[in-house]
Amino acid sequence: MRAVETVPTDGSPEAAARLGSLASAAVEGDGPAVLPTGPDEPAPPPELRTPVDDAVAAVVTTTGSTGAPKAVLLPAAALRASADATYARIGPPGRWLLALPAHHVAGLQVLLRSARAGVPAAAMDLRDGFRPDAFAAAAADAGASYTSLVPTQLLRLLDAGGPAADALRSFTAVLLGGAAADPVLLVRARTAGVPVVTTYGMSETCGGCVYEGRPLAGVTVTLEEDGRIRLSGATLAAGYRGAVSDADRAAFTADGFRTNDVGAWTPDGRLRVLGRADDVIVTGGEKVAPATVERALLAQAGVREACAVGLPDPEWGARVVAAVVGDGLDGDALRVAVAPGLGRAAPRAVAVLDALPLRGIGKPDRAAVRAYLASCFGGSDRT
């Protein structure tokens, strides 16, 4: 068995460097497995810190369906396979710039991919949050070939323009994950010369394992009859520990990891992620994927972000409502504009917000959006 060492991170480059060194050693079979924690997080409970199997190099915390902490066990072989498959897809091994929280799996993988290339990652100082000017300065100093961002960060960098946009163009590849990417944002970035590579994955797959809709080498994607995405292959985690529910236990099977996401294949054989299965809105007996509504809203002029959710409705079971972020927007006008193309999936109400509430490393907090929209619209379906 292998000891587990808690490794605190505070957003500083020094803390990231220490985590990268310890995690790299763990992947190579030296020292304890690492359990990263974020700024101001309490110490992990004892059940997450007990020794693990010798094959496990990292223990990454996440939140289960009960809201209690649990952890994903990441084998060294899976982390190595993920890094190697990434390079096989995007380019030769090189240095990375860390612009994400180091204790999340995406941040940890930035550190490990760089170590796999034989050079420590450069790291932004995130103690005061993510700033486009700081990103530009860090990129100029780092000489890095790669970085990894979430859509909110990419949007802010493009909006800042100047040195921030120049920094984006300097990379060989900019991985984009953590949340669904707005197609309009992707077009804008690529038109600006940014080498964006969209990724899909989770802690249970050592981070991104599907790039631009196609699985990495050694990864298999299967869609079940209901569209549920199942992932298997070399990058799969060894399972969970901590506050594990029956549903969590059932997710890992001999056939791989059954995600809580639904998807579909595009005509050219790429995976399109439609959203979480429990986010699907059933209105009048019809299943509506929030992503379908969000894409329609994001295609409208001035809309920068969008989040669609369902609210209880006595007639329809649920009605679709949405929140958007942008400049000079009118919620009712947007509702009317997208209605013809969406049919029954069209939102009954659209609210304009200054910003979407977020969770984790940049995913919309749908529960918070739902609560806010319920307070705005209640039983009404007008803006």
Side-chain angles (χ1 to χ4, degrees):
M1 299 294 285
R2 191 178 204 175
V4 174
E5 180 175 344
T6 301
V7 185
T9 64
D10 59 5
S12 69
E14 294 77 15
R18 179 172 183 268
L19 172 59
S21 177
L22 291 172
S24 177
V27 167
E28 297 306 316
D30 297 326
V34 296
L35 197 172
T37 60
D40 303 320
E41 286 187 358
E47 60 267 25
L48 300 189
R49 293 183 276 119
T50 56
V52 293
D53 186 273
D54 288 335
V56 173
V59 181
V60 177
T61 56
T62 183
T63 301
S65 56
T66 62
K70 65 179 180 182
V72 183
L73 305 175
L74 301 181
L79 291 164
R80 288 193 297 268
S82 176
D84 293 345
T86 293
Y87 285 129
R89 180 66 60 87
I90 67 174
R95 194 179 198 198
W96 290 70
L97 172 62
L98 176 67
L100 298 170
H103 65 291
H104 287 287
V105 69
L108 178 64
Q109 279 288 51
V110 164
L111 300 174
L112 290 174
R113 292 186 193 114
S114 204
R116 191 77 172 151
V119 58
M124 284 184 64
D125 192 328
L126 296 172
R127 283 174 288 189
D128 293 326
F130 178 84
R131 302 195 325 273
D133 62 327
F135 178 86
D141 291 341
S145 299
Y146 306 104
T147 192
S148 185
L149 302 172
V150 296
T152 300
Q153 292 174 313
L154 177 60
L155 178 61
R156 291 178 61 187
L157 291 166
L158 290 173
D159 284 349
D166 291 341
L168 285 171
R169 286 188 283 266
S170 72
F171 291 99
T172 301
V174 176
L175 301 191
L176 189 68
D182 165 18
V184 176
L185 175 62
L186 293 176
V187 170
R188 180 183 173 192
R190 287 165 177 158
T191 301
V194 181
V196 173
V197 178
T198 62
T199 70
Y200 167 70
M202 55 218 58
S203 298
E204 292 86 349
T205 58
C206 292
C209 63
V210 177
Y211 286 18
E212 292 295 324
R214 300 192 186 280
L216 294 179
V219 175
T220 299
V221 178
T222 304
L223 295 186
E224 300 179 355
E225 288 186 9
D226 62 355
R228 188 74 66 99
I229 299 170
R230 184 182 293 274
L231 302 169
S232 59
T235 68
L236 209 61
Y240 294 118
R241 64 163 35 179
V244 183
S245 68
D246 290 340
D248 292 332
R249 293 188 184 90
F252 284 98
T253 71
D255 296 322
F257 176 69
R258 188 174 191 257
T259 75
N260 197 34
D261 296 324
V262 291
W265 296 114
T266 64
D268 63 348
R270 296 176 188 267
L271 176 68
R272 172 179 286 177
V273 181
L274 301 177
R276 290 176 63 86
D278 52 11
D279 288 336
V280 170
I281 306 160
V282 181
T283 178
E286 181 174 326
K287 293 182 179 180
V288 175
T292 301
V293 181
E294 292 158 5
R295 280 195 296 270
L297 288 166
L298 289 164
Q300 303 302 306
V303 178
R304 296 154 55 89
E305 299 176 67
C307 180
V309 298
L311 294 181
D313 185 274
E315 180 180 359
W316 297 95
R319 68 184 186 281
V320 181
V321 295
V324 296
V325 175
D327 299 320
L329 300 178
D330 179 271
D332 196 58
L334 287 171
R335 180 178 61 82
V336 172
V338 300
L342 289 175
R344 191 175 292 179
R348 303 289 191 87
V350 177
V352 180
L353 279 60
D354 292 333
L356 291 179
L358 302 176
R359 62 180 180 86
I361 59 171
K363 296 181 181 180
D365 189 335
R366 292 186 184 275
V369 171
R370 186 178 295 109
Y372 176 78
L373 295 180
S375 71
C376 289
F377 302 130
S380 169
D381 53 356
R382 298 291 296 176
T383 53

